[in-house]
Structure formats: structure tokens, C-alpha cells
Amino acid sequence: MSKNETQPNIPQHIAIIMDGNGRWAQARGKQRVFGHKAGMERAREMAEVCGELGVKYLTLFAFSSENWNRPKDEVSFLMELFATSLKNESKKLNKNNVRLTVIGDKDGFDKALRKAIDKAEALTAGNDGLFLQIAANYGGRWDIVQAAKKLAEAGQEITEASIEEHLVTSGGPAPDLLIRTGGEERISNFLLWQAAYSELYFSPKLWPDFDREALQQAINNFNQRQRRFGKTGEQVTTADKGD
Ligand code: FPP
């Protein structure tokens, strides 16, 4: 469904913790990596759907700072899948006016992957359609610490604004809607600073099953929320009326 007229309030920024790939594969008697492959397909589809709906920013949690602790074979598979997908998809993303950036500690990746990331980012840098942020080797605590270190090194004052300016998401809006699939209800060190006022939505669906309709349901649910940002409900309602 791409009817904006029935969607008065499309979140400007959706962030997703794509959980449940392993369980999805295991439920089919397959290896966990089979689920990651299906998860990648789903990520690609989600970017298309978000572009169609007019979502401006989509941030996908692909690999956390803690995921290095997984079995070696699974980590290697994920790195390979990431590199291959960047190579295979970047032309199509570019054609679709998508701007891709990878947020996270890129120094943790091998040279070939860093090169693939740089190439995909450079190719799509001029696009102004969907802004797709892939969080890889990312952790919310790492993000805050790296911002604080930069400020300390530059001898700059620590304020909310100066920290925000040095986060890897600098310049973009905070997520309006943060979705986690796979039935768990926690943030797991994703966008800790940025999600301060995000609406949280937890889906029991495993990520490879999280389709267009499931996203639509999440958006509909988001539309029923009143975002107060610390104000009272009455203040928000009055402001909505333009007073
Ligand atoms: C969580 O499922 C998923 C991951 C740790 C990896 C996510 C990666 C992809 C969706 C593919 C790559 C996508 C991009 C955009 C590069 P899990 O393995 O923790 O599942 P489980 O909870 O069932 O074990």
C-alpha cells in the first residue's frame, strides 16, 4: 500500500532492530545463516516500502558491537553477506535515489568491507530520496563515548547539542518510531541517545516474516500515539490546534 492520502502521519524516521533470523531458520530445520539471508531480502524490501511510503530515514541494526561474540562462522557469514550485498545492491539503491550510509565503528571491519562501504556511500552521496542508515559494528554506548572523546580532544564544551553534533547520526532527525521484531522487548544498545523520545513498537514476528503489512500495522499503531516530549497531553492537544 503506498497511499499517502490514507496515511496522514508517516514517521519521518523509522529505526528497526531486525531480530529473529536465527529462530526463523531453525524453525525450518535450517542453519541460522539461512535466516540471515532471508533477513537481508527483507531489509531490501523494507527499504523499498519505506521509500514508497515517504519515510525519509530508515535505520537498520545489522550488526551490533556485541555480535562479534557469535560463533566465528556466523560472524564471517554476516560480514560476507554485508560486503556482497553492498556490491550487488548499491547500483539499484542509487537508481532509486537512496542515500546509503553505514553508521558504526568501521575500523572493526576488514579492508575489503571498508572499501565496499566507502564505494557505496560515495556512489549514493548525492541522492535525496530515502536516507538508509545501516548500523554495523554499532553500539549506542560506543556512539556516545566516541562523540565525547572527540569533544574532549578538541577541548570543546560538553552540552546536549555538542554531543548530538558528534554522534554518528549527526544532522539527521531522531527516530520517531523504533521497531523491534522477534518478540523481545528491549533496546539492546541501539540508538540509546537518539531514541530518547522514540515511540517503541515490539512485534512478535521474526524479522524474515516482517512484511509490508506488518510495517503498516506498526505505522498505524504509531498514529494512535500522542507524542508529548515531556509536556502534558493538554498542552500537546492545544499546540496541535495551532494555538
Ligand atoms: C538478529 O537475528 C539479526 C542479526 C544479528 C543480523 C541482522 C542481519 C541481517 C538482517 C542481514 C544483513 C542486513 C543488512 C541490512 C546488512 P538473530 O540472529 O539474533 O535471531 P535469533 O534471535 O532468532 O537468534
Side-chain angles (χ1 to χ4, degrees):
M1 195 201 295
S2 63
K3 293 183 186 124
N4 271 348
E5 59 273 21
T6 60
Q7 305 253 353
N9 202 7
I10 293 292
Q12 187 185 16
H13 183 176
I14 297 180
I16 309 182
I17 301 175
M18 307 177 287
D19 197 13
N21 294 345
R23 278 168 284 160
W24 185 87
Q26 281 160 345
R28 284 159 181 77
K30 308 242 176 167
Q31 303 270 333
R32 294 174 53 80
V33 293
F34 182 76
H36 292 317
K37 240 177 135 178
M40 173 56 85
E41 293 301 317
R42 202 47 100 182
R44 187 180 21 211
E45 185 194 332
M46 216 36 71
E48 270 173 31
V49 174
C50 283
E52 278 175 30
L53 291 175
V55 173
K56 197 69 199 155
Y57 286 75
L58 175 65
T59 305
L60 300 175
F61 204 7
F63 193 85
S64 77
S65 314
E66 292 75 30
N67 284 151
W68 296 108
N69 298 322
R70 291 193 171 208
K72 218 171 144 223
D73 285 355
E74 185 173 338
V75 171
S76 307
F77 182 89
L78 281 168
M79 290 300 138
E80 192 63 42
L81 180 67
F82 190 22
T84 315
S85 305
L86 281 170
K87 281 179 204 150
N88 293 345
E89 297 299 322
S90 48
K91 269 195 193 136
K92 193 165 173 222
L93 289 172
N94 190 40
K95 218 173 120 210
N96 291 339
N97 198 22
V98 174
R99 182 168 159 204
L100 179 128
T101 58
V102 173
I103 56 169
D105 186 1
K106 294 178 210 169
D107 292 342
F109 299 133
D110 70 23
K111 213 171 146 191
L113 180 51
R114 285 205 305 268
K115 205 170 151 194
I117 292 171
D118 288 347
K119 249 181 124 173
E121 287 183 340
L123 179 71
T124 61
N127 296 336
D128 60 3
L130 177 73
F131 195 160
L132 176 61
Q133 303 187 110
I134 306 291
N137 198 17
Y138 178 85
R141 290 177 179 171
W142 165 83
D143 194 4
I144 296 167
V145 169
Q146 67 80 30
K149 274 186 182 163
K150 281 185 190 147
L151 290 171
E153 275 160 24
Q156 270 178 270
E157 198 188 347
I158 308 246
T159 63
E160 284 197 16
S162 69
I163 290 180
E164 198 152 307
E165 222 174 272
H166 289 81
L167 295 173
V168 287
T169 49
S170 165
D176 302 293
L177 172 62
L178 193 156
I179 298 171
R180 180 179 187 138
T181 64
E184 311 283 358
E185 302 194 350
R186 54 177 172 263
I187 303 227
S188 295
N189 202 16
F190 194 32
L191 305 172
L192 293 181
W193 177 286
Q194 298 87 337
Y197 285 100
S198 301
E199 295 296 330
L200 307 181
Y201 181 86
F202 299 105
S203 168
K205 279 185 187 286
L206 303 175
W207 173 246
D209 292 329
F210 193 82
D211 55 11
R212 185 183 278 261
E213 202 187 319
L215 178 73
Q216 191 63 58
Q217 268 176 26
I219 294 175
N220 292 347
N221 183 287
F222 169 81
N223 272 308
Q224 286 157 18
R225 315 254 185 116
Q226 184 189 50
R227 306 193 71 198
R228 292 201 286 272
F229 299 99
K231 293 183 180 169
T232 66
E234 201 180 12
Q235 282 176 307
V236 174
T237 314
T238 312
D240 283 349
K241 286 181 186 146
D243 294 342

